[in-house]
């Protein structure tokens, strides 16, 4: 099966975008403008990415450079989304702790060849899901630290350290950032057929090959998100990975 650029694809995309905009307006979601801008960015960015990948995929070093750029953009995006752009080095550290070992394991075990054609898509999937969990954990924990300031101060008054008091607030929020991906793993093949499975099938692979690729991707996502969330939580407890208002407001 081949999905190539052409009028059928253009017509389909326009209709789907129109459905999105109408649904946003009817449902008073007020995201129709953002949806149009996101769609435009997606088309431009994916077109550019396709051209870049075509140019660099033959060189392993250029492929690593492309992955580094993807990782950098992921760090910039997630730190802005959680409102902590000044903490980007710590966000990068937390995400790297999840991405590097997972991609390394996949490559060193020979599961996929050490070549640009395999490195870029695998690393891209891992980095994207690492960014997602960092954003979810950050938004939930930072919101909790603002809303439950009284609990934090009460913990301090009982003799807990700042890190222990922070943990009292965020401990139950961190798993919430991982649960969506665990649900995806739990329901794969029953509720949904995830992207890697569909991609292999569209590329002409067998159902068994598609299932194998998808299981690999799901296990990689679980590993990178678990490590990233754990390191992120540790950095939050140490008041390193925080927005400016929380870093200044949470007493040591």
């Amino acid at each position: 099966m081949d999905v190539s650029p052409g009028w059928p694809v253009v017509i389909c995309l326009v209709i789907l975008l129109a459905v999105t905009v109408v649904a946003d307006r009817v449902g008073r979601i007020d995201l129709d403008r953002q949806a149009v801008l996101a769609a435009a960015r997606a088309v431009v960015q994916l077109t550019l990415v396709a051209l870049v990948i075509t140019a660099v995929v033959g060189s392993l070093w250029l492929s690593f450079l492309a992955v580094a750029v993807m990782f950098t953009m992921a760090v910039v995006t997630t730190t802005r989304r959680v409102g902590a752009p000044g903490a980007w080095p710590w966000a990068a550290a937390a995400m790297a702790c999840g991405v590097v070992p997972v991609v390394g394991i996949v490559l060193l075990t020979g599961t996929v060849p050490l070549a640009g054609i395999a490195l870029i898509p695998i690393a891209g999937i891992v980095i994207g899901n690492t960014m997602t969990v960092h954003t979810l954990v950050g938004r939930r924990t930072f919101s909790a630290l603002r809303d439950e300031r009284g609990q934090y101060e009460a913990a301090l008054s009982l003799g807990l350290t700042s890190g222990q008091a922070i943990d009292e607030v965020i401990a139950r929020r961190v798993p919430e950032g991982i649960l969506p991906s665990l649900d995806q793993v739990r329901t794969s093949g029953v509720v949904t057929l995830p992207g890697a499975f569909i991609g292999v099938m569209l590329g002409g692979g067998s159902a068994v090959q598609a299932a194998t690729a998808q299981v690999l991707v799901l296990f990689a996502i679980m590993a990178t998100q678990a490590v990233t969330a754990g390191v992120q939580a540790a950095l939050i407890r140490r008041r390193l990975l925080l927005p400016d208002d929380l870093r200044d407001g949470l007493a040591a």
Side-chain angles (χ1 to χ4, degrees), residues 8-251:
V9 173
V10 172
I11 293 171
C12 180
L13 294 178
V14 170
I15 294 174
L16 291 174
L17 181 58
V19 170
T20 302
V21 171
V22 171
D24 281 343
R25 291 185 177 179
V26 172
R28 298 181 180 178
I29 302 174
D30 295 329
L31 291 177
D32 48 295
R33 183 173 179 274
Q34 292 188 40
V36 172
L37 292 176
R41 286 189 58 174
V43 172
V44 173
Q45 290 170 181
L46 288 173
T47 300
L48 293 175
V49 166
L51 296 175
V52 170
I53 291 177
T54 301
V56 308
V57 74
S59 168
L60 184 59
W61 293 111
L62 288 178
S63 297
F64 274 114
L65 179 60
V67 170
V69 172
M70 294 162 63
F71 181 82
T72 301
M73 291 305 300
V75 172
V76 171
T77 300
T78 188
T79 51
R80 287 179 177 175
R81 181 63 69 182
V82 300
W88 70 264
W90 299 109
M95 293 171 64
C97 286
V99 171
V100 174
V102 168
V103 174
I105 290 169
V106 172
L107 294 175
L108 293 176
T109 56
T111 304
V112 298
L114 184 57
I117 193 64
L119 172 65
I120 292 176
I122 290 295
I125 292 172
V126 172
I127 291 171
N129 282 277
T130 304
M131 177 185 67
T132 297
V133 77
H134 184 277
T135 297
L136 290 175
V137 170
R139 288 176 67 87
R140 282 167 169 76
T141 55
F142 298 160
S143 176
L145 287 170
R146 293 186 180 100
D147 295 342
E148 300 179 21
R149 182 66 177 270
Q151 180 178 338
Y152 169 79
E153 293 177 349
L156 289 179
S157 68
L158 294 175
L160 273 65
T161 65
S162 178
Q164 292 170 330
I166 290 175
D167 190 56
E168 287 292 315
V169 176
I170 71 171
R172 63 184 181 278
R173 299 314 199 293
V174 175
E176 294 176 2
I178 305 177
L179 283 176
S181 292
L182 288 181
D183 288 342
Q184 182 183 12
V185 174
R186 186 180 296 113
T187 60
S188 290
V190 178
V191 177
T192 61
L193 291 178
F197 188 100
I198 300 300
V200 174
M201 292 289 288
L202 291 177
S206 68
V208 172
Q209 290 174 321
T212 302
Q214 187 60 63
V215 169
L216 171 64
V217 167
L218 292 175
F219 276 49
I221 291 173
M222 283 196 301
T224 190
Q225 291 195 338
V227 174
T228 297
V231 175
Q232 182 181 4
L235 293 173
I236 291 173
R237 287 193 293 269
R238 289 169 173 77
R239 297 185 301 121
L240 297 173
L241 180 44
L242 289 173
D244 291 340
D245 65 308
L246 289 177
R247 187 185 306 108
D248 297 336
L250 299 178

